[in-house]
């Protein structure tokens, strides 16, 4: 029988191994397998965000799942000048849950946050997720380009205040099909964009690597033309 | 000329009263106790309510208001169906402690306990519709008004936390049958949600099927 100190040391090393496994599993170097740095000097066109719409705003059915907690409602995304966005989440019956403003060159501005969401870590996570989705993490500065030699698909990497935003662009398409947010070498969140016609967004899914948090957005299709900006 | 300008101003003021910022009864209610007693008596005899509704959401970031329409029904105890049909199709069913939400091809179902916000909203909305909320004088400062058409009640949350979310709730009761004809939830910053109930039917036979998740 091992003694108590040996048992404690064994448990500690198991915990360390577990942590290393988590870290390795979430490292960003495995983010886009098979992609190679492209040094061809191609002029990269700015990525067109799915949320720069002509209709004035977008309404998305929203579902947030954190562990066994759920929050649902309707997200209104309004494009602003200078590549900014205002996002307001309201409950199905109309009550406001959050109101945030995003610009590529400024910190996120929180206009309103429901009391139970108003905690530092929640604000930071929600803001980062929405930045990733809206592409406001300086996506108009010179990116590094990676390319998959077999498909021609490329990944653009943008650096922003210690974070890295990667966006996968399908060949011949200016739109992102997915994106990844990393901090250092740790993968934090992934966004996937879905569109039936390749022109308008239908749904978005954001999932986290290290916490059990998922956000889903489904575009609400309007049946008559009221409430237009 | 002076008369014309006065007429013009009065006309504009009366028009603005009908647009969005609807006029509210301002005369204090003469007999609040009689109103409360009559309301509780009426609501205790009501087992089902069905109605059409128009919901108007004012958001300062949008120049126009979001207007949606649909059908609402309630059956004791705690069965609620909100069916939005315009401008989007959206269904919310609350059946005891479960919520079911359906939109286009997407549907979700979960425990009301896991969504505290919805739980509170459900308690609040059904409390408003049944008039039960007027018993809650610990949580709200309640004021009573009336005019020839309506009884009008304002509820101001006592708790600072609650007030950050809801500045004031206004409820219009139809004078004829004491049913709720309008609810307006005022938020900080001037945003609000207004729900108008029309074509109300009390104690109609609403099958349980309407509250089943499919």
């Amino acid at each position: 029988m091992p003694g108590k100190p040996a048992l404690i040391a064994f448990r500690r090393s198991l915990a360390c191994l577990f942590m290393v496994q988590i870290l390795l599993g979430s490292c960003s170097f495995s983010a886009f397998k098979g992609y190679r740095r492209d040094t061809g000097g191609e002029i990269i066109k700015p990525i067109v965000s799915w949320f720069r719409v002509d209709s004035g705003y977008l309404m998305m059915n929203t579902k947030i799942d954190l562990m066994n907690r759920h929050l649902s409602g309707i997200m209104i995304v309004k494009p602003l000048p200078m590549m900014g966005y205002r996002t307001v989440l309201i409950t199905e019956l109309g009550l406001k849950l959050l109101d945030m403003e995003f610009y590529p060159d400024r910190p996120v501005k929180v206009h309103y946050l429901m009391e139970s969401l108003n905690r530092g870590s929640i604000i930071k996570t929600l803001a980062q997720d929405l930045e990733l989705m809206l592409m406001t993490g300086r996506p108009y500065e010179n990116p590094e380009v990676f390319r998959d030699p077999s498909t021609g698909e490329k990944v653009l990497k943008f650096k922003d205040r210690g974070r890295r935003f990667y966006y996968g662009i399908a060949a011949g398409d200016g739109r992102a099909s997915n994106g990844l947010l990393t901090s250092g070498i740790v993968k934090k969140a992934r966004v996937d964009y879905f569109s039936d016609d390749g022109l308008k967004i239908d749904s978005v899914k954001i999932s986290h690597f290290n916490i059990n948090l998922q956000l889903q957005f489904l575009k609400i299709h309007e049946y008559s033309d009221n409430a237009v900006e | 000329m002076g008369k014309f300008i006065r007429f013009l101003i009065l006309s504009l003021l009366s028009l603005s009263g009908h647009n969005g910022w609807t006029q509210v009864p301002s005369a204090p209610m003469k007999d609040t106790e009689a109103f409360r007693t009559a309301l509780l008596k009426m609501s205790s005899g009501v087992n089902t309510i069905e109605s059409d509704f128009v919901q108007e959401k004012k958001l300062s970031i949008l120049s126009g208001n979001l207007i949606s329409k649909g059908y609402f029904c309630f059956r004791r105890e705690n069965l609620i169906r909100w069916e939005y049909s315009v401008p989007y199709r959206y269904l919310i069913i609350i059946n005891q402690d479960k919520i079911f939400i359906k939109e286009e091809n997407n549907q979700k179902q979960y425990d009301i306990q896991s969504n505290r916000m919805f739980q509170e909203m459900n308690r609040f909305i059904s409390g408003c519709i049944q008039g039960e909320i007027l018993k809650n004088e610990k949580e709200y400062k309640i004021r009573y008004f009336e005019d020839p058409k309506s009884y009008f009640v304002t509820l101001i949350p006592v708790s600072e936390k609650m007030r950050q979310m809801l500045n004031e709730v206004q409820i219009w009761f139809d004078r004829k049958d004491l049913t709720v004809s309008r609810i307006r939830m005022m938020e900080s910053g001037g945003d609000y949600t207004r729900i108008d109930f029309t074509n109300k039917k009390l104690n109609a036979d609403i099958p349980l099927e309407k509250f089943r998740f499919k």
Side-chain angles (χ1 to χ4, degrees), chain A residues 57 59 61-63 68-74 76 78 86 88 90-97 112 114-115 218-224 226-227 229, chain B residues 55 57 59 61-67 82 84 86-90 92 101 103-104 106 108 110 113-115 117-118 121 161 164-166 187 191 193:
Chain A
Y57 64 93
M59 278 169 72
N61 189 347
T62 303
K63 187 177 149 198
N68 57 351
R69 294 265 153 210
H70 310 283
L71 192 68
S72 61
I74 294 166
I76 293 140
K78 184 186 177 184
R86 187 87 175 253
V88 177
I90 55 175
T91 63
E92 288 85 354
L93 299 176
L95 205 62
K96 194 159 53 181
L97 300 173
Y112 175 79
M114 186 183 67
E115 197 274 330
L218 281 114
K219 186 174 184 286
I220 293 173
H221 296 101
E222 297 196 15
Y223 289 95
S224 75
N226 73 13
E229 268 286 73
Chain B
Q55 183 176 311
K57 176 71 192 168
L59 270 178
I61 68 158
L62 301 179
S63 56
N65 293 349
L66 299 168
I67 295 166
W82 293 93
Y84 292 81
V86 175
Y88 44 79
R89 291 187 192 128
Y90 203 92
I92 303 167
I101 296 176
E103 192 262 333
E104 291 275 301
N106 174 51
K108 53 199 173 190
Y110 46 85
Q113 303 289 339
S114 67
N115 190 332
M117 185 70 199
F118 214 108
M121 279 302 289
K161 270 185 192 174
Q164 283 171 7
M165 204 162 67
L166 268 181
E187 296 169 39
D191 291 349
T193 306

Side-chain angles (χ1 to χ4, degrees), chain A residues 80-106:
Chain A
L80 301 172
M82 313 296 287
M83 297 300 168
Y85 293 94
R86 187 87 175 253
T87 57
V88 177
L89 178 63
I90 55 175
T91 63
E92 288 85 354
L93 299 176
L95 205 62
K96 194 159 53 181
L97 300 173
L98 74 82
D99 180 355
M100 289 179 172
E101 190 177 282
F102 300 86
Y103 279 98
D105 54 349
R106 295 173 220 171

Side-chain angles (χ1 to χ4, degrees), chain A residues 65-225:
Chain A
D65 296 312
L66 173 64
M67 317 288 275
N68 57 351
R69 294 265 153 210
H70 310 283
L71 192 68
S72 61
I74 294 166
M75 176 77 85
I76 293 140
V77 181
K78 184 186 177 184
L80 301 172
M82 313 296 287
M83 297 300 168
Y85 293 94
R86 187 87 175 253
T87 57
V88 177
L89 178 63
I90 55 175
T91 63
E92 288 85 354
L93 299 176
L95 205 62
K96 194 159 53 181
L97 300 173
L98 74 82
D99 180 355
M100 289 179 172
E101 190 177 282
F102 300 86
Y103 279 98
D105 54 349
R106 295 173 220 171
V108 176
K109 187 172 177 184
V110 179
H111 289 277
Y112 175 79
L113 209 57
M114 186 183 67
E115 197 274 330
S116 62
L117 292 175
N118 205 347
R119 294 194 180 94
S121 58
I122 296 179
I123 299 172
K124 195 177 165 192
T125 306
L126 277 175
Q128 280 193 344
D129 287 353
L130 294 175
E131 277 184 286
L132 173 67
M133 179 179 89
L134 299 167
M135 302 182 182
T136 51
R138 297 179 194 266
Y140 308 101
E141 294 186 355
N142 288 336
E144 280 181 63
V145 184
F146 298 83
R147 202 177 289 275
D148 182 338
S150 59
T151 62
E153 287 182 2
K154 63 189 172 199
V155 168
L156 306 183
K157 176 184 172 185
F158 302 89
K159 294 178 186 174
D160 179 39
R161 291 162 278 187
R163 302 172 302 173
R164 310 277 184 273
F165 290 90
Y166 300 82
Y167 290 102
I169 314 286
D173 193 346
R175 304 273 194 174
S177 54
N178 55 27
L180 184 75
L181 168 65
T182 71
S183 180
I185 59 162
V186 178
K187 283 195 272 184
K188 299 198 90 171
R190 176 191 168 101
V191 61
D192 287 284
Y193 302 97
F194 303 95
S195 166
D196 279 346
D197 60 5
L199 300 169
K200 289 175 192 155
I201 193 71
D202 287 310
S203 65
V204 182
K205 185 177 167 189
I206 299 173
S207 36
H208 280 253
F209 292 93
N210 304 315
I211 43 171
N212 190 1
L213 170 62
Q214 260 199 16
L215 294 90
Q216 279 180 288
F217 304 88
L218 281 114
K219 186 174 184 286
I220 293 173
H221 296 101
E222 297 196 15
Y223 289 95
S224 75
D225 51 354

